[in-house]
Amino acid sequence: MILKGLELDFFRNYVHAELSFSPSVNVIWGENAQGKTNLLEAAAYLSSCRSHRARYDRELIQFGVDHAFLKGEVFSHSRDFTLEARIHRGERRQLFSNGVKLKTAGELGEVFNTILFCPEDLSLIRDGAGARRRFLDDAICQLRPRYAAALGEYKRLYEQKTRILRDWEEKPSLLDTLDDFNLRMVQVGAYLIHYRAHFVKRLSVLTPPIQSDFSGGREKLALRYETVSTVTDPEASPKVILEQLLAHQQSHRRAELDSRQCLSGPHKDDLAVEIDGQSARQFASQGQTRTAALSLKLACRELFQEDTGEWPVLLLDDVLSELDNRRQAFVLERIDGGQVLITCCEETGALARDGKRFQVKGGTLVHG
Ligand code: ATP
Ligand code: MG
């Protein structure tokens, strides 16, 4: 799939911008704090309504303005699509594909997929399990709209149950609804575990060869999905997982009431990353951390291609500058085939493939 054009109004520091991209490599360059990452963020938003650095949509709207508008011209599945997002402060966002209003953000993923790699992605290896769950969830949401809906439901249930557990001593009547919440959470939770485990299974085939190539054949990477202890096989059918989750849920009921926290469920799951048999989180060097995170993202890109038959658009934020020449060359070779948007601080000549360059200054395009 190709992002042919992008139009922004009042998005972050862009009052108005129109870009038309090359189907191969697009280099976006400029000094710090000019709006390079904002452009990648806008492209990513049109694929999933998610941003890697904004928690709420309102953060994307320009300071002092009450709405933002994004439009992407996308070529995918041999057709042209116009995707639009309208974000208003205090209102629900509105999404359109070829003028037809979309019901869910997940529907964008059927038309347009992106894979973003940015400096913050080192947290994918280093941080707690939350960063890795988010990585899995972001990717699966783009591929499976039903997963996105289930994840949204699980989050709502989790928040409601957390409130019950927090307030039940003051308001014992709240406990009347706890069993209903528990049952619905294991139903939805079983589905999440099943899908995540199957995704990890495929990722664990695609990632190790990339890490190995990166390290000149020296490093062996392994992935494993870790979930609730009673689940014997996370790849089993949701029905089987449901029973096992229920058992865990019930045995932790008292502990949840005492600690006033949700202790049982896939909201604590993790994707274990090991390099040469050691936990990458604990033992990987800086370089290994960077390459492992990038390998995961590139593997994800290949998985998307397998799944949809099209290369997702790769968004590389400030990445190449951090890699040595051999690894830079390796990345550029590996991503041959699809469209790429790359940001960097200098007008570098290193990016050989024919493509386009855009210079960004204070939220405007200087040329391009
Ligand atoms: P760097 O090279 O440091 O990564 P960058 O070019 O990627 O810089 P961006 O992160 O794209 O920079 O843009 C940052 C600029 O956008 C900052 O000056 C910031 O204040 C501004 N900005 C962020 N959000 C908004 C917003 N909602 N409204 C207006 N400006 C914003
Ligand atoms: Mg940036």
Side-chain angles (χ1 to χ4, degrees):
M1 39 192 73
I2 305 290
L3 180 62
K4 289 169 38 177
L6 182 65
E7 192 179 324
L8 305 174
D9 287 297
F10 305 116
F11 181 88
R12 296 280 196 189
N13 66 341
Y14 290 89
V15 175
H16 178 77
E18 283 177 43
L19 295 93
S20 89
F21 294 112
S22 152
S24 62
V25 178
N26 296 272
V27 178
I28 297 158
W29 68 282
E31 290 175 16
N32 293 130
Q34 303 305 307
K36 302 182 297 292
T37 303
N38 292 345
L39 281 183
L40 299 194
E41 185 181 34
Y45 190 83
L46 281 173
S47 68
S48 62
C49 279
R50 288 164 84 101
S51 155
H52 66 296
R53 53 183 183 175
R55 181 129 187 235
Y56 302 104
D57 279 354
R58 59 174 182 266
E59 296 167 42
L60 306 173
I61 304 173
Q62 187 155 100
F63 303 140
V65 180
D66 66 0
H67 69 281
F69 172 69
L70 297 84
K71 180 159 115 182
E73 301 292 345
V74 173
F75 183 72
S76 97
H77 305 287
S78 315
R79 282 173 60 197
D80 284 314
F81 292 89
T82 302
L83 300 179
E84 291 165 281
R86 294 174 190 278
I87 309 171
H88 281 267
R89 279 186 209 281
E91 286 174 36
R92 275 176 71 91
R93 67 174 163 237
Q94 295 186 315
L95 305 171
F96 301 87
S97 173
N98 288 341
V100 179
K101 197 167 169 187
L102 302 180
K103 289 197 198 71
T104 64
E107 288 173 68
L108 289 172
E110 292 169 27
V111 174
F112 185 42
N113 304 129
T114 57
I115 300 282
L116 171 77
F117 185 75
C118 60
E120 292 91 325
D121 280 325
L122 299 187
S123 67
L124 198 55
I125 306 297
R126 290 225 178 107
D127 283 13
R132 286 176 293 281
R133 278 197 305 275
R134 200 182 146 116
F135 161 68
L136 294 177
D137 289 341
D138 280 349
I140 308 170
C141 280
Q142 285 198 57
L143 291 175
R144 303 271 178 271
R146 285 183 56 203
Y147 182 88
L151 186 67
E153 184 179 359
Y154 191 86
K155 284 185 176 158
R156 283 191 297 279
L157 291 164
Y158 175 83
E159 278 164 22
Q160 284 160 328
K161 183 175 162 184
T162 301
R163 273 198 293 277
I164 295 175
L165 291 171
R166 192 189 59 202
D167 300 336
W168 71 270
E169 273 182 338
E170 294 74 26
K171 243 185 175 180
S173 63
L174 285 174
L175 290 182
D176 297 346
T177 56
L178 184 60
D179 286 335
D180 292 340
F181 276 108
N182 278 342
L183 181 62
R184 189 64 196 145
M185 268 177 95
V186 295
Q187 283 169 338
V188 183
Y191 183 84
L192 299 184
I193 291 173
H194 172 83
Y195 273 84
R196 284 180 183 163
H198 278 269
F199 186 83
V200 171
K201 185 182 177 185
R202 294 174 63 195
L203 212 53
S204 60
V205 174
L206 295 167
T207 317
I210 303 179
Q211 179 81 13
S212 168
D213 283 359
F214 249 141
S215 60
R218 287 194 301 275
E219 289 167 14
K220 201 163 174 305
L221 182 141
L223 301 174
R224 194 178 57 256
Y225 183 56
E226 291 180 341
T227 185
V228 177
S229 61
T230 49
V231 175
T232 48
D233 174 13
E235 289 167 26
S237 74
K239 215 166 146 235
V240 173
I241 298 173
L242 188 153
E243 295 300 327
Q244 296 173 337
L245 279 184
L246 208 51
H248 192 267
Q249 177 70 258
Q250 279 158 0
S251 67
H252 284 69
R253 188 182 161 89
R254 189 69 245 168
E256 286 192 328
L257 290 173
D258 290 345
S259 68
R260 299 175 157 214
Q261 285 176 0
C262 288
L263 301 175
S264 173
H267 53 276
K268 301 173 92 82
D269 291 358
D270 200 354
L271 168 67
V273 182
E274 289 182 355
I275 299 176
D276 295 331
Q278 303 285 356
S279 156
R281 184 178 174 201
Q282 286 170 285
F283 298 108
S285 73
Q286 279 203 33
Q288 283 176 320
T289 302
R290 189 172 296 122
T291 43
L294 186 52
S295 299
L296 275 172
K297 290 286 173 110
L298 293 180
C300 219
R301 175 175 174 270
E302 291 177 10
L303 193 154
F304 273 51
Q305 198 274 341
E306 278 183 10
D307 221 71
T308 67
E310 312 227 353
W311 289 109
V313 175
L314 186 63
L315 308 170
L316 295 176
D317 194 13
D318 229 356
V319 188
L320 293 179
S321 52
E322 310 247 348
L323 298 174
D324 60 35
N325 285 343
R326 192 177 65 81
R327 290 183 187 217
Q328 270 193 24
F330 169 74
V331 174
L332 293 172
E333 197 177 304
R334 187 103 204 173
I335 61 182
D336 201 32
Q339 187 186 32
V340 196
L341 275 54
I342 301 178
T343 68
C344 55
C345 283
E346 314 100 55
E347 189 180 15
T348 168
L351 306 156
R353 264 207 290 164
D354 44 306
K356 267 180 126 168
R357 284 170 196 284
F358 303 85
Q359 187 187 356
V360 173
K361 208 168 185 177
T364 48
L365 293 157
V366 182
H367 49 75

